[in-house]
Amino acid sequence: MTWILASTSPRRKELLAQAGFSYTGFNFELVAPDIDETPKANELAADYVCRLAIEKAEAGLILSAQFNQPKVLGSDTIVVLNGAILGKPVDAEDAKRMLTMLSGNTHEVMTAVALTDGQQTLTRLCCTHVSFCALSAADIDAYIASGEPMDKAGAYGIQALGGCFVKSISGSYSAVVGLPLVETRELLACMMQQN
């Protein structure tokens, strides 16, 4: 049995290593699935993020054919404000738009995790509320100039400079970073019990 993480995110790699710390000999390989992340018409945010996690896990399974009995974990994180999904910014102007929207408001971060072995797929959805302090135009410009917002959902990373803007969170910190530890451990335990 081989564990596979269908992601090249250094944050998810680190979190999965944490999640498996108590399992003897737990280690995993990485694959980089390439899926279409376009939302479907009228697709709810929770359905969208769960679908992407499943599709990443399934794509990862195809990429893992050389491994013996691969178990593939896929995950996706989105930021939702007033029902609107804020993905990764396309450019600096888009990042500025998102950060301006998040300033002084509470948004929801949804992270879905899917684990598949080709026979069955298990999923979990973790929702966390994040409140931002008010951001000045100078704060936003300096943050964008750092480059950090450009590859992150909602244009910020809580585990780095973006954490300076987070007034409070209600829910899972690790889910906001990219992989909910408790839910991921539940999925690993379920899959281990069935093998």
Side-chain angles (χ1 to χ4, degrees):
M1 179 171 71
T2 306
W3 297 99
I4 308 289
L5 174 61
S7 173
T8 55
S9 161
R11 297 170 296 279
R12 286 201 177 105
K13 179 182 177 185
E14 185 178 315
L15 287 166
L16 182 55
Q18 279 182 253
F21 86 95
S22 63
Y23 301 120
T24 304
F26 180 81
N27 53 50
F28 54 92
E29 303 289 335
L30 302 179
V31 295
D34 184 22
I35 65 165
D36 180 1
E37 298 191 12
T38 307
K40 295 181 178 177
N42 303 315
E43 188 172 29
L44 297 175
D47 295 336
Y48 167 70
V49 74
C50 288
R51 176 175 63 82
L52 290 189
I54 292 167
E55 288 181 3
K56 286 180 179 181
E58 289 172 346
L61 192 64
I62 294 166
L63 294 171
S64 305
Q66 76 272 25
F67 296 107
N68 181 38
Q69 296 179 299
K71 312 282 188 253
V72 184
L73 187 137
S75 182
D76 197 74
T77 301
I78 59 171
V79 170
V80 182
L81 179 65
N82 301 325
I85 298 169
L86 305 182
K88 294 176 183 175
V90 295
D91 56 25
E93 203 54 43
D94 195 30
K96 187 172 190 172
R97 177 187 66 84
M98 290 185 197
L99 290 164
T100 300
M101 291 170 64
L102 296 176
S103 174
N105 286 311
T106 298
H107 61 274
E108 192 169 20
V109 177
M110 296 182 180
T111 298
V113 186
L115 185 59
T116 188
D117 62 2
Q119 303 299 313
Q120 63 171 334
T121 301
L122 308 172
T123 60
R124 294 286 187 280
L125 175 64
C126 186
C127 300
T128 302
H129 289 91
V130 180
S131 297
F132 261 36
C133 63
L135 306 180
S136 69
D139 291 334
I140 292 172
D141 289 344
Y143 187 48
I144 292 169
S146 77
E148 185 178 288
M150 302 316 297
D151 68 339
K152 294 178 178 57
Y156 79 95
I158 195 171
Q159 73 283 357
L161 296 175
C164 295
F165 306 142
V166 176
K167 194 173 182 180
S168 66
I169 75 166
S170 176
S172 169
Y173 172 82
S174 63
V176 180
V177 177
L179 194 67
L181 291 172
V182 170
E183 290 79 0
T184 300
R185 285 180 58 79
E186 288 172 0
L187 292 180
L188 294 175
C190 283
M191 195 64 81
M192 286 178 180
Q193 288 168 7
Q194 293 168 15
N195 286 277

